[in-house]
Amino acid sequence: MTEIDNAAGPAIDRHHVPGQVVLVLQGGGALGAYQAGVYQALHDAGLEPDWVIGTSIGAINAGLIAGNPVHERMTRLQEFWKRMHRSPAWTLPTAFPDFNELLSCWTAVTQGIPGFFRPNAMAQAGEAYPLGAEHAGYYSTAPLRETLQELVDFDFLNKGGLRLTVGAAHVRTSRMHYFDSRDGIIDVRHILASGALPPAFPAVRIDGELYWDGGILSNTPTEVVFDDNPRKDSLIFAVNLWNPQGPEPVTMAEVFNRHKDVQYSNRIGSQIERHQQTHRLRHVINQLAARLPESARNDPALRELASYGCQTRMHVVQLLAPQLDRERHTKDIDFTERGITTRWNAGYQQTQSVLERMPWVGDFDPLSGVVLHDPLAAAE
């Protein structure tokens, strides 16, 4: 893989950080190289997360981060993405880069990605062929299991240092389930389950139940932070891979591309707005309770009502992977050297720019429990 283009970034004093640092990583296949660049910028600034949350490729990146000591995290991320690099079986002259990248995607589809997935020949036996619940997929993720077991130290992960949460969809009930290292042991199955996107990948069985890719239900798991108990002041880096906004498509290629963005961006804006409203109400309750006379505060019913208040504040920094030139709906299987390196560099540079500005430092509305910082909106 081409050397990642970066320069020394600013060191962040933790005294300037308003609470725990949370890194939320969306699902999106090859687009996840952008997340690795985001983490590298945080790492270079000395701003290691206290909690990392991920779905699908976000869960894989999160596992690589949480499952290694600080000094080994970048090495393991780089090794993983080096293994993901997929060149086409053959290429045309450089005058046809679009065709070469398309060939690379078709190579991944037909031959798989070494260290990630390989074709499941039995899946071609027909739709009604009984493959078994844990093998019903067009590909096998046995190579990914081996890769994760080699690059993630699960004993280290479960010692309780950096908290890890990964999201998966419970197949039987269609409910989102989050596996959390704070509440139980995390092993390779939990990360595989979070990335088991059907019909490509088979479901993963954990404690007798089957799970699919969490991106089916919630591809942007920020709600885990907002609904955590107890809530804490937080600086949340929400790393998004799919653009929630885009132009009207006028070709079928644009329809396919925009459809994926709409499907997997998972209503990011409306989710944040809802949490902003909810946390504002919590702050209102908190201030109203503070104005009650001392005698009323001892009333059990009022104490219970006042308990719905909250004085924590969440700063949400939204980061969005850029759309590359000539990008297609196959972008999530674009494991070319160009795709991986370009997205990684974009994540690094955009995060470095945010860290230089530290938008979470300043005076804010005391009733605002969730403060959104959107670097793209600020630049307009």
Side-chain angles (χ1 to χ4, degrees):
M1 192 170 72
T2 300
E3 186 73 19
I4 300 300
D5 180 21
N6 62 71
I12 301 297
D13 187 339
R14 287 294 292 228
H15 290 95
H16 295 154
V17 177
Q20 66 178 345
V21 177
V22 185
L23 185 58
V24 180
L25 305 177
Q26 198 178 64
L31 306 180
Y34 175 84
Q35 298 170 342
V38 170
Y39 171 74
Q40 183 180 3
L42 296 176
H43 175 81
D44 287 354
L47 194 60
E48 294 294 334
D50 302 295
W51 184 10
V52 61
I53 304 165
T55 298
S56 198
I57 193 64
I60 294 172
N61 281 328
L64 291 164
I65 295 168
N68 287 289
V70 172
H71 67 278
E72 293 182 5
R73 290 172 182 169
M74 282 308 309
T75 300
R76 296 303 173 92
L77 277 170
Q78 289 167 343
E79 176 61 24
F80 175 82
W81 284 98
K82 179 180 179 181
R83 296 186 188 188
M84 295 305 103
H85 173 216
R86 187 46 145 148
S87 298
W90 51 274
T91 61
L92 292 176
T94 54
F96 305 95
D98 289 1
F99 193 66
N100 288 337
E101 290 179 12
L102 187 60
L103 280 175
S104 180
C105 291
W106 278 111
T107 302
V109 169
T110 58
Q111 300 179 21
I113 301 287
F116 195 166
F117 59 89
R118 61 172 177 255
N120 176 13
M122 296 305 296
Q124 305 303 321
E127 293 182 358
Y129 187 82
L131 295 168
E134 294 166 77
H135 300 283
Y138 287 113
Y139 301 92
S140 166
T141 53
L144 178 60
R145 177 185 290 269
E146 295 174 4
T147 297
L148 291 174
Q149 288 175 328
E150 181 181 346
L151 298 181
V152 177
D153 184 340
F154 287 96
D155 289 335
F156 177 85
L157 189 158
N158 288 299
K159 286 181 179 177
L162 171 55
R163 182 179 174 187
L164 171 67
T165 304
V166 297
H170 189 208
V171 175
R172 184 171 54 83
T173 62
S174 303
R175 294 176 67 90
M176 191 70 180
H177 185 89
Y178 289 102
F179 298 101
D180 197 319
S181 64
R182 185 186 65 177
D183 304 325
I185 299 298
I186 297 289
D187 61 39
V188 69
R189 297 171 303 161
H190 301 93
I191 298 177
L192 289 172
S194 185
L197 182 65
F201 303 148
V204 176
R205 192 176 299 278
I206 301 173
D207 297 331
E209 297 288 345
L210 287 175
Y211 294 90
W212 272 329
D213 190 310
I216 296 172
L217 297 176
S218 181
N219 201 39
T220 314
T222 51
E223 70 268 14
V224 179
V225 189
F226 298 125
D227 296 334
D228 195 32
N229 186 22
R231 283 182 293 274
K232 297 180 180 179
D233 290 338
S234 302
L235 173 57
I236 305 164
F237 291 90
V239 188
N240 305 312
L241 304 179
W242 304 92
N243 201 327
Q245 299 184 11
E248 295 180 353
V250 296
T251 68
M252 290 309 300
E254 292 174 357
V255 167
F256 292 140
N257 190 33
R258 186 66 195 135
H259 171 241
K260 274 195 173 179
D261 278 336
V262 171
Q263 180 179 12
Y264 291 117
S265 62
N266 273 177
R267 303 177 302 281
I268 298 168
S270 60
Q271 286 183 7
I272 295 293
E273 288 176 5
R274 179 175 65 83
H275 288 298
Q276 285 179 311
Q277 294 166 357
T278 300
H279 280 264
R280 186 176 186 87
L281 287 174
R282 289 190 176 118
H283 278 226
V284 168
I285 292 171
N286 198 61
Q287 292 208 13
L288 288 173
R291 287 168 167 74
L292 290 172
E294 193 67 35
S295 57
R297 294 179 191 177
N298 295 323
D299 183 287
L302 289 178
R303 280 207 307 271
E304 181 180 357
L305 292 173
S307 70
Y308 288 94
C310 180
Q311 58 185 357
T312 60
R313 172 167 287 157
M314 316 281 185
H315 287 267
V316 182
V317 177
Q318 288 208 115
L319 295 164
L320 178 62
Q323 183 168 318
L324 305 188
D325 293 338
R326 308 184 305 275
E327 193 168 80
R328 295 183 175 86
H329 71 282
T330 55
K331 56 192 173 186
D332 52 336
I333 55 171
D334 175 19
F335 289 96
T336 61
E337 182 176 14
R338 169 186 175 268
I340 291 174
T341 303
T342 303
R343 291 187 173 96
W344 186 308
N345 282 331
Y348 186 88
Q349 293 163 6
Q350 290 179 2
T351 306
Q352 193 177 64
S353 175
V354 170
L355 295 178
E356 289 173 351
R357 292 186 287 106
M358 292 195 297
W360 54 85
V361 175
D363 296 324
F364 302 93
D365 182 352
L367 293 180
S368 294
V370 175
V371 182
L372 179 62
H373 306 283
D374 187 340
L376 295 180
E380 292 177 354

